[in-house]
Amino acid sequence: MGHNGGFKTLCFEELEIVDCCVISQKAARVDVLANGIWFANGIGVDKDEKFIVVSETFAARYLKYHIQGPKQGELEVVLNEMIGLPDGADCSHTTGLCYAAIVSSPPPILKLLFSLPPVVNRFVRTLFMMTPPSLQPKPVHYGCFIELFPGDENNPPKITRVVQDLHGEDLRLITGVTEYGGKLYLGSLENDVVGVYDLK
């Protein structure tokens, strides 16, 4: 759940499909912003509250939902076929750059899924999600986060930095990412510390 200013954002999971909603703190209502998202693990709001970013884990994509402006109500794919499976998401409230925590390098099955027609792709993903954890591929010891410019009216989105720990020696299975005061704070499923990366 993300929280910024006058609203809260929530993602409700129902098997592989997720609805991204906004709860108004002033009015007793919930608005569905977008649906059909494949496992929205991370969500963040930009500094001007013009858009929401979403890490779509099972599709290996980074999404942007426009809250205000000429594209209001549109869901845009900012990054597609990412270098790994995205998890946490955040946006800096000073620089305007956004971040994605990469929980794992892409398993071989992901490349196969990218090559399948959308209908077959969804069917295979659904079967994969129903597979018992003991039979699923084990995550590789790997640590990574991506910094990106999310795009604006005049410039397309672009990756500005990728930091990787290829063997997960310092930090691995990174799931949380929060920018504050020029530093990036990284949470992990396995490590018993919070990683701190100086962005300057």
Side-chain angles (χ1 to χ4, degrees), residues 34 37 44 46 50-56 61-68 71-79 91 96 98 148-157:
I37 298 172
D46 82 300
K50 291 185 176 179
F51 60 84
I52 295 170
V53 292
V54 179
S55 285
E56 188 181 17
R61 302 191 306 179
Y62 201 71
L63 309 175
K64 177 180 177 182
Y65 178 85
H66 296 268
I67 303 170
Q68 303 177 37
K71 293 185 176 180
Q72 183 177 356
E74 290 184 26
L75 184 65
E76 174 185 354
V77 177
V78 177
L79 294 177
C91 293
C98 294
L148 64 135
F149 170 68
D152 57 26
E153 292 81 7
N154 304 312
N155 302 289

PDB file of all heavy atoms in Angstrom, residues 34 37 44 46 50-56 61-68 71-79 91 96 98 148-157:
ATOM      1  N   ALA A  34      -7.095   0.821 -12.485  1.00  0.00           N
ATOM      2  CA  ALA A  34      -6.668  -0.075 -13.568  1.00  0.00           C
ATOM      3  C   ALA A  34      -6.846  -1.502 -13.100  1.00  0.00           C
ATOM      4  O   ALA A  34      -6.732  -1.795 -11.915  1.00  0.00           O
ATOM      5  CB  ALA A  34      -5.210   0.191 -13.933  1.00  0.00           C
ATOM      6  N   ILE A  37      -3.699  -6.241 -14.109  1.00  0.00           N
ATOM      7  CA  ILE A  37      -2.253  -6.163 -13.870  1.00  0.00           C
ATOM      8  C   ILE A  37      -1.797  -7.500 -13.294  1.00  0.00           C
ATOM      9  O   ILE A  37      -2.431  -8.048 -12.394  1.00  0.00           O
ATOM     10  CB  ILE A  37      -1.928  -5.002 -12.903  1.00  0.00           C
ATOM     11  CG1 ILE A  37      -2.370  -3.672 -13.527  1.00  0.00           C
ATOM     12  CG2 ILE A  37      -0.448  -4.980 -12.573  1.00  0.00           C
ATOM     13  CD1 ILE A  37      -2.278  -2.501 -12.576  1.00  0.00           C
ATOM     14  N   GLY A  44       4.211   3.268  -6.364  1.00  0.00           N
ATOM     15  CA  GLY A  44       4.727   4.545  -5.874  1.00  0.00           C
ATOM     16  C   GLY A  44       4.026   5.694  -6.569  1.00  0.00           C
ATOM     17  O   GLY A  44       3.442   5.528  -7.636  1.00  0.00           O
ATOM     18  N   ASP A  46       4.442   9.822  -7.867  1.00  0.00           N
ATOM     19  CA  ASP A  46       5.464  10.830  -8.166  1.00  0.00           C
ATOM     20  C   ASP A  46       5.284  12.057  -7.280  1.00  0.00           C
ATOM     21  O   ASP A  46       4.264  12.218  -6.603  1.00  0.00           O
ATOM     22  CB  ASP A  46       5.403  11.219  -9.647  1.00  0.00           C
ATOM     23  CG  ASP A  46       4.321  12.240  -9.935  1.00  0.00           C
ATOM     24  OD1 ASP A  46       3.145  11.934  -9.669  1.00  0.00           O
ATOM     25  OD2 ASP A  46       4.650  13.333 -10.414  1.00  0.00           O
ATOM     26  N   LYS A  50       0.984  13.317 -10.085  1.00  0.00           N
ATOM     27  CA  LYS A  50       0.415  13.287 -11.437  1.00  0.00           C
ATOM     28  C   LYS A  50       0.264  11.875 -11.959  1.00  0.00           C
ATOM     29  O   LYS A  50      -0.516  11.618 -12.860  1.00  0.00           O
ATOM     30  CB  LYS A  50       1.282  14.113 -12.399  1.00  0.00           C
ATOM     31  CG  LYS A  50       1.231  15.599 -12.134  1.00  0.00           C
ATOM     32  CD  LYS A  50       2.005  16.357 -13.195  1.00  0.00           C
ATOM     33  CE  LYS A  50       1.876  17.854 -12.979  1.00  0.00           C
ATOM     34  NZ  LYS A  50       2.634  18.617 -13.993  1.00  0.00           N
ATOM     35  N   PHE A  51       1.057  10.934 -11.415  1.00  0.00           N
ATOM     36  CA  PHE A  51       0.971   9.546 -11.863  1.00  0.00           C
ATOM     37  C   PHE A  51       1.386   8.589 -10.758  1.00  0.00           C
ATOM     38  O   PHE A  51       2.005   8.981  -9.771  1.00  0.00           O
ATOM     39  CB  PHE A  51       1.810   9.317 -13.120  1.00  0.00           C
ATOM     40  CG  PHE A  51       3.282   9.602 -12.956  1.00  0.00           C
ATOM     41  CD1 PHE A  51       4.142   8.640 -12.435  1.00  0.00           C
ATOM     42  CD2 PHE A  51       3.817  10.820 -13.347  1.00  0.00           C
ATOM     43  CE1 PHE A  51       5.496   8.892 -12.289  1.00  0.00           C
ATOM     44  CE2 PHE A  51       5.169  11.080 -13.200  1.00  0.00           C
ATOM     45  CZ  PHE A  51       6.009  10.120 -12.676  1.00  0.00           C
ATOM     46  N   ILE A  52       1.030   7.333 -10.967  1.00  0.00           N
ATOM     47  CA  ILE A  52       1.399   6.227 -10.087  1.00  0.00           C
ATOM     48  C   ILE A  52       2.257   5.264 -10.909  1.00  0.00           C
ATOM     49  O   ILE A  52       1.948   5.004 -12.075  1.00  0.00           O
ATOM     50  CB  ILE A  52       0.148   5.482  -9.581  1.00  0.00           C
ATOM     51  CG1 ILE A  52      -0.699   6.388  -8.692  1.00  0.00           C
ATOM     52  CG2 ILE A  52       0.514   4.225  -8.818  1.00  0.00           C
ATOM     53  CD1 ILE A  52      -2.057   5.811  -8.366  1.00  0.00           C
ATOM     54  N   VAL A  53       3.332   4.747 -10.333  1.00  0.00           N
ATOM     55  CA  VAL A  53       4.121   3.709 -10.998  1.00  0.00           C
ATOM     56  C   VAL A  53       3.838   2.374 -10.316  1.00  0.00           C
ATOM     57  O   VAL A  53       3.588   2.324  -9.114  1.00  0.00           O
ATOM     58  CB  VAL A  53       5.635   4.014 -10.981  1.00  0.00           C
ATOM     59  CG1 VAL A  53       5.956   5.220 -11.853  1.00  0.00           C
ATOM     60  CG2 VAL A  53       6.161   4.211  -9.574  1.00  0.00           C
ATOM     61  N   VAL A  54       3.861   1.312 -11.105  1.00  0.00           N
ATOM     62  CA  VAL A  54       3.550  -0.025 -10.606  1.00  0.00           C
ATOM     63  C   VAL A  54       4.578  -1.019 -11.142  1.00  0.00           C
ATOM     64  O   VAL A  54       4.840  -1.057 -12.345  1.00  0.00           O
ATOM     65  CB  VAL A  54       2.135  -0.474 -11.050  1.00  0.00           C
ATOM     66  CG1 VAL A  54       1.837  -1.879 -10.550  1.00  0.00           C
ATOM     67  CG2 VAL A  54       1.073   0.500 -10.574  1.00  0.00           C
ATOM     68  N   SER A  55       5.167  -1.807 -10.261  1.00  0.00           N
ATOM     69  CA  SER A  55       6.019  -2.921 -10.676  1.00  0.00           C
ATOM     70  C   SER A  55       5.128  -4.137 -10.909  1.00  0.00           C
ATOM     71  O   SER A  55       4.532  -4.661  -9.960  1.00  0.00           O
ATOM     72  CB  SER A  55       7.065  -3.252  -9.601  1.00  0.00           C
ATOM     73  OG  SER A  55       8.091  -2.295  -9.574  1.00  0.00           O
ATOM     74  N   GLU A  56       5.022  -4.569 -12.150  1.00  0.00           N
ATOM     75  CA  GLU A  56       4.179  -5.709 -12.520  1.00  0.00           C
ATOM     76  C   GLU A  56       5.076  -6.947 -12.610  1.00  0.00           C
ATOM     77  O   GLU A  56       5.672  -7.223 -13.639  1.00  0.00           O
ATOM     78  CB  GLU A  56       3.484  -5.422 -13.852  1.00  0.00           C
ATOM     79  CG  GLU A  56       2.450  -6.447 -14.229  1.00  0.00           C
ATOM     80  CD  GLU A  56       1.794  -6.150 -15.563  1.00  0.00           C
ATOM     81  OE1 GLU A  56       2.347  -5.354 -16.350  1.00  0.00           O
ATOM     82  OE2 GLU A  56       0.740  -6.734 -15.829  1.00  0.00           O
ATOM     83  N   ARG A  61       7.229  -5.983 -16.135  1.00  0.00           N
ATOM     84  CA  ARG A  61       7.011  -4.655 -16.708  1.00  0.00           C
ATOM     85  C   ARG A  61       6.906  -3.606 -15.599  1.00  0.00           C
ATOM     86  O   ARG A  61       6.604  -3.913 -14.457  1.00  0.00           O
ATOM     87  CB  ARG A  61       5.715  -4.612 -17.522  1.00  0.00           C
ATOM     88  CG  ARG A  61       5.663  -5.604 -18.648  1.00  0.00           C
ATOM     89  CD  ARG A  61       4.493  -5.356 -19.597  1.00  0.00           C
ATOM     90  NE  ARG A  61       3.202  -5.296 -18.932  1.00  0.00           N
ATOM     91  CZ  ARG A  61       2.045  -5.073 -19.566  1.00  0.00           C
ATOM     92  NH1 ARG A  61       2.046  -4.885 -20.877  1.00  0.00           N
ATOM     93  NH2 ARG A  61       0.911  -5.045 -18.896  1.00  0.00           N
ATOM     94  N   TYR A  62       7.159  -2.363 -15.980  1.00  0.00           N
ATOM     95  CA  TYR A  62       7.014  -1.209 -15.085  1.00  0.00           C
ATOM     96  C   TYR A  62       5.962  -0.313 -15.715  1.00  0.00           C
ATOM     97  O   TYR A  62       6.092   0.095 -16.873  1.00  0.00           O
ATOM     98  CB  TYR A  62       8.357  -0.481 -14.973  1.00  0.00           C
ATOM     99  CG  TYR A  62       8.509   0.394 -13.751  1.00  0.00           C
ATOM    100  CD1 TYR A  62       8.654  -0.156 -12.486  1.00  0.00           C
ATOM    101  CD2 TYR A  62       8.558   1.784 -13.882  1.00  0.00           C
ATOM    102  CE1 TYR A  62       8.839   0.649 -11.365  1.00  0.00           C
ATOM    103  CE2 TYR A  62       8.743   2.592 -12.767  1.00  0.00           C
ATOM    104  CZ  TYR A  62       8.886   2.021 -11.515  1.00  0.00           C
ATOM    105  OH  TYR A  62       9.069   2.824 -10.408  1.00  0.00           O
ATOM    106  N   LEU A  63       4.889  -0.054 -14.979  1.00  0.00           N
ATOM    107  CA  LEU A  63       3.729   0.645 -15.520  1.00  0.00           C
ATOM    108  C   LEU A  63       3.593   2.040 -14.915  1.00  0.00           C
ATOM    109  O   LEU A  63       4.093   2.322 -13.830  1.00  0.00           O
ATOM    110  CB  LEU A  63       2.453  -0.151 -15.229  1.00  0.00           C
ATOM    111  CG  LEU A  63       2.447  -1.625 -15.618  1.00  0.00           C
ATOM    112  CD1 LEU A  63       1.163  -2.291 -15.158  1.00  0.00           C
ATOM    113  CD2 LEU A  63       2.639  -1.790 -17.115  1.00  0.00           C
ATOM    114  N   LYS A  64       2.876   2.884 -15.634  1.00  0.00           N
ATOM    115  CA  LYS A  64       2.620   4.256 -15.183  1.00  0.00           C
ATOM    116  C   LYS A  64       1.150   4.573 -15.436  1.00  0.00           C
ATOM    117  O   LYS A  64       0.687   4.505 -16.573  1.00  0.00           O
ATOM    118  CB  LYS A  64       3.531   5.208 -15.962  1.00  0.00           C
ATOM    119  CG  LYS A  64       3.360   6.680 -15.673  1.00  0.00           C
ATOM    120  CD  LYS A  64       4.360   7.450 -16.551  1.00  0.00           C
ATOM    121  CE  LYS A  64       4.240   8.934 -16.408  1.00  0.00           C
ATOM    122  NZ  LYS A  64       5.197   9.638 -17.308  1.00  0.00           N
ATOM    123  N   TYR A  65       0.441   4.879 -14.366  1.00  0.00           N
ATOM    124  CA  TYR A  65      -0.969   5.264 -14.496  1.00  0.00           C
ATOM    125  C   TYR A  65      -1.073   6.770 -14.281  1.00  0.00           C
ATOM    126  O   TYR A  65      -0.646   7.303 -13.259  1.00  0.00           O
ATOM    127  CB  TYR A  65      -1.835   4.529 -13.471  1.00  0.00           C
ATOM    128  CG  TYR A  65      -3.278   4.951 -13.561  1.00  0.00           C
ATOM    129  CD1 TYR A  65      -4.140   4.345 -14.475  1.00  0.00           C
ATOM    130  CD2 TYR A  65      -3.774   5.981 -12.764  1.00  0.00           C
ATOM    131  CE1 TYR A  65      -5.460   4.757 -14.583  1.00  0.00           C
ATOM    132  CE2 TYR A  65      -5.090   6.385 -12.872  1.00  0.00           C
ATOM    133  CZ  TYR A  65      -5.927   5.783 -13.776  1.00  0.00           C
ATOM    134  OH  TYR A  65      -7.226   6.189 -13.886  1.00  0.00           O
ATOM    135  N   HIS A  66      -1.651   7.464 -15.254  1.00  0.00           N
ATOM    136  CA  HIS A  66      -1.744   8.922 -15.213  1.00  0.00           C
ATOM    137  C   HIS A  66      -2.960   9.359 -14.392  1.00  0.00           C
ATOM    138  O   HIS A  66      -4.097   9.062 -14.747  1.00  0.00           O
ATOM    139  CB  HIS A  66      -1.834   9.482 -16.633  1.00  0.00           C
ATOM    140  CG  HIS A  66      -0.613   9.215 -17.452  1.00  0.00           C
ATOM    141  ND1 HIS A  66       0.438  10.104 -17.533  1.00  0.00           N
ATOM    142  CD2 HIS A  66      -0.253   8.141 -18.203  1.00  0.00           C
ATOM    143  CE1 HIS A  66       1.380   9.603 -18.312  1.00  0.00           C
ATOM    144  NE2 HIS A  66       0.984   8.411 -18.724  1.00  0.00           N
ATOM    145  N   ILE A  67      -2.697  10.088 -13.295  1.00  0.00           N
ATOM    146  CA  ILE A  67      -3.765  10.594 -12.428  1.00  0.00           C
ATOM    147  C   ILE A  67      -4.284  11.934 -12.942  1.00  0.00           C
ATOM    148  O   ILE A  67      -5.461  12.241 -12.857  1.00  0.00           O
ATOM    149  CB  ILE A  67      -3.253  10.776 -10.977  1.00  0.00           C
ATOM    150  CG1 ILE A  67      -2.704   9.456 -10.432  1.00  0.00           C
ATOM    151  CG2 ILE A  67      -4.356  11.299 -10.063  1.00  0.00           C
ATOM    152  CD1 ILE A  67      -1.966   9.607  -9.124  1.00  0.00           C
ATOM    153  N   GLN A  68      -3.367  12.753 -13.473  1.00  0.00           N
ATOM    154  CA  GLN A  68      -3.712  14.075 -13.973  1.00  0.00           C
ATOM    155  C   GLN A  68      -3.075  14.284 -15.337  1.00  0.00           C
ATOM    156  O   GLN A  68      -2.247  13.503 -15.771  1.00  0.00           O
ATOM    157  CB  GLN A  68      -3.209  15.164 -13.022  1.00  0.00           C
ATOM    158  CG  GLN A  68      -3.706  15.076 -11.597  1.00  0.00           C
ATOM    159  CD  GLN A  68      -3.082  16.153 -10.724  1.00  0.00           C
ATOM    160  OE1 GLN A  68      -2.866  17.276 -11.152  1.00  0.00           O
ATOM    161  NE2 GLN A  68      -2.799  15.801  -9.484  1.00  0.00           N
ATOM    162  N   LYS A  71      -3.094  12.741 -20.371  1.00  0.00           N
ATOM    163  CA  LYS A  71      -3.266  11.281 -20.442  1.00  0.00           C
ATOM    164  C   LYS A  71      -4.021  10.727 -19.243  1.00  0.00           C
ATOM    165  O   LYS A  71      -3.970   9.530 -18.984  1.00  0.00           O
ATOM    166  CB  LYS A  71      -1.899  10.594 -20.548  1.00  0.00           C
ATOM    167  CG  LYS A  71      -1.160  10.860 -21.835  1.00  0.00           C
ATOM    168  CD  LYS A  71       0.120  10.034 -21.884  1.00  0.00           C
ATOM    169  CE  LYS A  71       0.854  10.201 -23.197  1.00  0.00           C
ATOM    170  NZ  LYS A  71       2.090   9.393 -23.224  1.00  0.00           N
ATOM    171  N   GLN A  72      -4.723  11.575 -18.517  1.00  0.00           N
ATOM    172  CA  GLN A  72      -5.434  11.145 -17.312  1.00  0.00           C
ATOM    173  C   GLN A  72      -6.279   9.897 -17.573  1.00  0.00           C
ATOM    174  O   GLN A  72      -7.032   9.839 -18.537  1.00  0.00           O
ATOM    175  CB  GLN A  72      -6.335  12.267 -16.803  1.00  0.00           C
ATOM    176  CG  GLN A  72      -7.055  11.911 -15.512  1.00  0.00           C
ATOM    177  CD  GLN A  72      -7.883  13.069 -14.976  1.00  0.00           C
ATOM    178  OE1 GLN A  72      -7.876  14.160 -15.522  1.00  0.00           O
ATOM    179  NE2 GLN A  72      -8.599  12.837 -13.898  1.00  0.00           N
ATOM    180  N   GLY A  73      -6.105   8.905 -16.698  1.00  0.00           N
ATOM    181  CA  GLY A  73      -6.867   7.668 -16.820  1.00  0.00           C
ATOM    182  C   GLY A  73      -6.203   6.599 -17.666  1.00  0.00           C
ATOM    183  O   GLY A  73      -6.684   5.474 -17.741  1.00  0.00           O
ATOM    184  N   GLU A  74      -5.051   6.927 -18.299  1.00  0.00           N
ATOM    185  CA  GLU A  74      -4.365   5.950 -19.157  1.00  0.00           C
ATOM    186  C   GLU A  74      -3.325   5.166 -18.368  1.00  0.00           C
ATOM    187  O   GLU A  74      -2.649   5.710 -17.501  1.00  0.00           O
ATOM    188  CB  GLU A  74      -3.673   6.649 -20.336  1.00  0.00           C
ATOM    189  CG  GLU A  74      -4.625   7.216 -21.357  1.00  0.00           C
ATOM    190  CD  GLU A  74      -3.876   7.810 -22.551  1.00  0.00           C
ATOM    191  OE1 GLU A  74      -2.733   7.373 -22.822  1.00  0.00           O
ATOM    192  OE2 GLU A  74      -4.443   8.709 -23.189  1.00  0.00           O
ATOM    193  N   LEU A  75      -3.190   3.890 -18.706  1.00  0.00           N
ATOM    194  CA  LEU A  75      -2.152   3.027 -18.143  1.00  0.00           C
ATOM    195  C   LEU A  75      -1.100   2.818 -19.224  1.00  0.00           C
ATOM    196  O   LEU A  75      -1.405   2.317 -20.302  1.00  0.00           O
ATOM    197  CB  LEU A  75      -2.735   1.685 -17.699  1.00  0.00           C
ATOM    198  CG  LEU A  75      -1.784   0.719 -17.003  1.00  0.00           C
ATOM    199  CD1 LEU A  75      -1.308   1.289 -15.667  1.00  0.00           C
ATOM    200  CD2 LEU A  75      -2.463  -0.626 -16.774  1.00  0.00           C
ATOM    201  N   GLU A  76       0.116   3.201 -18.948  1.00  0.00           N
ATOM    202  CA  GLU A  76       1.200   3.181 -19.934  1.00  0.00           C
ATOM    203  C   GLU A  76       2.290   2.206 -19.502  1.00  0.00           C
ATOM    204  O   GLU A  76       2.625   2.137 -18.313  1.00  0.00           O
ATOM    205  CB  GLU A  76       1.766   4.609 -20.038  1.00  0.00           C
ATOM    206  CG  GLU A  76       2.979   4.793 -20.876  1.00  0.00           C
ATOM    207  CD  GLU A  76       3.527   6.219 -20.800  1.00  0.00           C
ATOM    208  OE1 GLU A  76       2.891   7.094 -20.179  1.00  0.00           O
ATOM    209  OE2 GLU A  76       4.612   6.444 -21.355  1.00  0.00           O
ATOM    210  N   VAL A  77       2.840   1.460 -20.442  1.00  0.00           N
ATOM    211  CA  VAL A  77       3.976   0.586 -20.160  1.00  0.00           C
ATOM    212  C   VAL A  77       5.250   1.408 -20.309  1.00  0.00           C
ATOM    213  O   VAL A  77       5.575   1.879 -21.397  1.00  0.00           O
ATOM    214  CB  VAL A  77       4.010  -0.634 -21.098  1.00  0.00           C
ATOM    215  CG1 VAL A  77       5.247  -1.486 -20.810  1.00  0.00           C
ATOM    216  CG2 VAL A  77       2.747  -1.467 -20.946  1.00  0.00           C
ATOM    217  N   VAL A  78       5.961   1.613 -19.205  1.00  0.00           N
ATOM    218  CA  VAL A  78       7.191   2.405 -19.220  1.00  0.00           C
ATOM    219  C   VAL A  78       8.375   1.527 -19.608  1.00  0.00           C
ATOM    220  O   VAL A  78       9.201   1.901 -20.433  1.00  0.00           O
ATOM    221  CB  VAL A  78       7.430   3.070 -17.846  1.00  0.00           C
ATOM    222  CG1 VAL A  78       8.743   3.828 -17.825  1.00  0.00           C
ATOM    223  CG2 VAL A  78       6.282   4.003 -17.503  1.00  0.00           C
ATOM    224  N   LEU A  79       8.474   0.341 -18.981  1.00  0.00           N
ATOM    225  CA  LEU A  79       9.525  -0.624 -19.310  1.00  0.00           C
ATOM    226  C   LEU A  79       8.877  -1.970 -19.574  1.00  0.00           C
ATOM    227  O   LEU A  79       8.031  -2.414 -18.792  1.00  0.00           O
ATOM    228  CB  LEU A  79      10.534  -0.764 -18.172  1.00  0.00           C
ATOM    229  CG  LEU A  79      11.402   0.434 -17.823  1.00  0.00           C
ATOM    230  CD1 LEU A  79      12.281   0.109 -16.624  1.00  0.00           C
ATOM    231  CD2 LEU A  79      12.273   0.848 -19.005  1.00  0.00           C
ATOM    232  N   CYS A  91       9.208   6.624  -6.182  1.00  0.00           N
ATOM    233  CA  CYS A  91       9.636   7.796  -6.941  1.00  0.00           C
ATOM    234  C   CYS A  91      10.241   8.805  -5.972  1.00  0.00           C
ATOM    235  O   CYS A  91       9.716   9.014  -4.877  1.00  0.00           O
ATOM    236  CB  CYS A  91       8.457   8.439  -7.672  1.00  0.00           C
ATOM    237  SG  CYS A  91       7.764   7.432  -8.991  1.00  0.00           S
ATOM    238  N   GLY A  96      12.514  13.477  -9.065  1.00  0.00           N
ATOM    239  CA  GLY A  96      11.491  13.021 -10.008  1.00  0.00           C
ATOM    240  C   GLY A  96      11.810  11.687 -10.650  1.00  0.00           C
ATOM    241  O   GLY A  96      11.008  11.159 -11.417  1.00  0.00           O
ATOM    242  N   CYS A  98      12.382   7.587 -10.781  1.00  0.00           N
ATOM    243  CA  CYS A  98      11.667   6.474 -10.149  1.00  0.00           C
ATOM    244  C   CYS A  98      12.583   5.255 -10.056  1.00  0.00           C
ATOM    245  O   CYS A  98      13.606   5.172 -10.745  1.00  0.00           O
ATOM    246  CB  CYS A  98      10.402   6.127 -10.939  1.00  0.00           C
ATOM    247  SG  CYS A  98       9.181   7.462 -10.909  1.00  0.00           S
ATOM    248  N   LEU A 148      15.083   5.088 -13.165  1.00  0.00           N
ATOM    249  CA  LEU A 148      14.623   5.503 -14.473  1.00  0.00           C
ATOM    250  C   LEU A 148      13.936   6.858 -14.440  1.00  0.00           C
ATOM    251  O   LEU A 148      13.357   7.267 -13.424  1.00  0.00           O
ATOM    252  CB  LEU A 148      13.661   4.469 -15.066  1.00  0.00           C
ATOM    253  CG  LEU A 148      12.357   4.254 -14.316  1.00  0.00           C
ATOM    254  CD1 LEU A 148      11.207   4.225 -15.307  1.00  0.00           C
ATOM    255  CD2 LEU A 148      12.399   2.953 -13.555  1.00  0.00           C
ATOM    256  N   PHE A 149      14.032   7.538 -15.565  1.00  0.00           N
ATOM    257  CA  PHE A 149      13.247   8.740 -15.800  1.00  0.00           C
ATOM    258  C   PHE A 149      11.915   8.254 -16.352  1.00  0.00           C
ATOM    259  O   PHE A 149      11.891   7.570 -17.372  1.00  0.00           O
ATOM    260  CB  PHE A 149      13.965   9.649 -16.795  1.00  0.00           C
ATOM    261  CG  PHE A 149      13.120  10.788 -17.286  1.00  0.00           C
ATOM    262  CD1 PHE A 149      12.747  11.814 -16.436  1.00  0.00           C
ATOM    263  CD2 PHE A 149      12.694  10.827 -18.605  1.00  0.00           C
ATOM    264  CE1 PHE A 149      11.963  12.862 -16.893  1.00  0.00           C
ATOM    265  CE2 PHE A 149      11.910  11.866 -19.070  1.00  0.00           C
ATOM    266  CZ  PHE A 149      11.541  12.894 -18.213  1.00  0.00           C
ATOM    267  N   PRO A 150      10.787   8.582 -15.692  1.00  0.00           N
ATOM    268  CA  PRO A 150       9.516   7.979 -16.094  1.00  0.00           C
ATOM    269  C   PRO A 150       8.870   8.581 -17.334  1.00  0.00           C
ATOM    270  O   PRO A 150       7.819   8.121 -17.761  1.00  0.00           O
ATOM    271  CB  PRO A 150       8.638   8.208 -14.863  1.00  0.00           C
ATOM    272  CG  PRO A 150       9.194   9.442 -14.234  1.00  0.00           C
ATOM    273  CD  PRO A 150      10.666   9.406 -14.493  1.00  0.00           C
ATOM    274  N   GLY A 151       9.506   9.584 -17.928  1.00  0.00           N
ATOM    275  CA  GLY A 151       8.949  10.214 -19.119  1.00  0.00           C
ATOM    276  C   GLY A 151       8.021  11.364 -18.770  1.00  0.00           C
ATOM    277  O   GLY A 151       7.466  11.433 -17.675  1.00  0.00           O
ATOM    278  N   ASP A 152       7.865  12.295 -19.705  1.00  0.00           N
ATOM    279  CA  ASP A 152       6.922  13.399 -19.543  1.00  0.00           C
ATOM    280  C   ASP A 152       6.339  13.742 -20.911  1.00  0.00           C
ATOM    281  O   ASP A 152       6.498  12.982 -21.866  1.00  0.00           O
ATOM    282  CB  ASP A 152       7.588  14.609 -18.871  1.00  0.00           C
ATOM    283  CG  ASP A 152       8.815  15.121 -19.625  1.00  0.00           C
ATOM    284  OD1 ASP A 152       8.908  14.915 -20.860  1.00  0.00           O
ATOM    285  OD2 ASP A 152       9.682  15.742 -18.988  1.00  0.00           O
ATOM    286  N   GLU A 153       5.695  14.909 -21.010  1.00  0.00           N
ATOM    287  CA  GLU A 153       5.030  15.284 -22.256  1.00  0.00           C
ATOM    288  C   GLU A 153       6.009  15.418 -23.425  1.00  0.00           C
ATOM    289  O   GLU A 153       5.652  15.221 -24.585  1.00  0.00           O
ATOM    290  CB  GLU A 153       4.260  16.604 -22.091  1.00  0.00           C
ATOM    291  CG  GLU A 153       3.051  16.528 -21.180  1.00  0.00           C
ATOM    292  CD  GLU A 153       3.414  16.626 -19.702  1.00  0.00           C
ATOM    293  OE1 GLU A 153       4.599  16.885 -19.377  1.00  0.00           O
ATOM    294  OE2 GLU A 153       2.523  16.411 -18.868  1.00  0.00           O
ATOM    295  N   ASN A 154       7.264  15.743 -23.113  1.00  0.00           N
ATOM    296  CA  ASN A 154       8.244  16.023 -24.176  1.00  0.00           C
ATOM    297  C   ASN A 154       9.324  14.963 -24.341  1.00  0.00           C
ATOM    298  O   ASN A 154      10.009  14.939 -25.359  1.00  0.00           O
ATOM    299  CB  ASN A 154       8.920  17.377 -23.912  1.00  0.00           C
ATOM    300  CG  ASN A 154       7.911  18.513 -23.797  1.00  0.00           C
ATOM    301  OD1 ASN A 154       7.026  18.645 -24.635  1.00  0.00           O
ATOM    302  ND2 ASN A 154       8.030  19.313 -22.749  1.00  0.00           N
ATOM    303  N   ASN A 155       9.491  14.098 -23.360  1.00  0.00           N
ATOM    304  CA  ASN A 155      10.591  13.136 -23.389  1.00  0.00           C
ATOM    305  C   ASN A 155      10.101  11.741 -23.030  1.00  0.00           C
ATOM    306  O   ASN A 155       9.319  11.575 -22.086  1.00  0.00           O
ATOM    307  CB  ASN A 155      11.682  13.552 -22.391  1.00  0.00           C
ATOM    308  CG  ASN A 155      12.211  14.933 -22.686  1.00  0.00           C
ATOM    309  OD1 ASN A 155      12.913  15.141 -23.665  1.00  0.00           O
ATOM    310  ND2 ASN A 155      11.849  15.898 -21.845  1.00  0.00           N
ATOM    311  N   PRO A 156      10.583  10.723 -23.756  1.00  0.00           N
ATOM    312  CA  PRO A 156      10.162   9.345 -23.458  1.00  0.00           C
ATOM    313  C   PRO A 156      10.855   8.817 -22.197  1.00  0.00           C
ATOM    314  O   PRO A 156      11.889   9.343 -21.787  1.00  0.00           O
ATOM    315  CB  PRO A 156      10.624   8.574 -24.700  1.00  0.00           C
ATOM    316  CG  PRO A 156      11.808   9.347 -25.194  1.00  0.00           C
ATOM    317  CD  PRO A 156      11.511  10.785 -24.898  1.00  0.00           C
ATOM    318  N   PRO A 157      10.302   7.769 -21.599  1.00  0.00           N
ATOM    319  CA  PRO A 157      10.951   7.148 -20.441  1.00  0.00           C
ATOM    320  C   PRO A 157      12.303   6.572 -20.833  1.00  0.00           C
ATOM    321  O   PRO A 157      12.501   6.161 -21.979  1.00  0.00           O
ATOM    322  CB  PRO A 157       9.986   6.029 -20.045  1.00  0.00           C
ATOM    323  CG  PRO A 157       8.712   6.313 -20.741  1.00  0.00           C
ATOM    324  CD  PRO A 157       9.050   7.096 -21.952  1.00  0.00           C
TER     325      PRO A 157
END
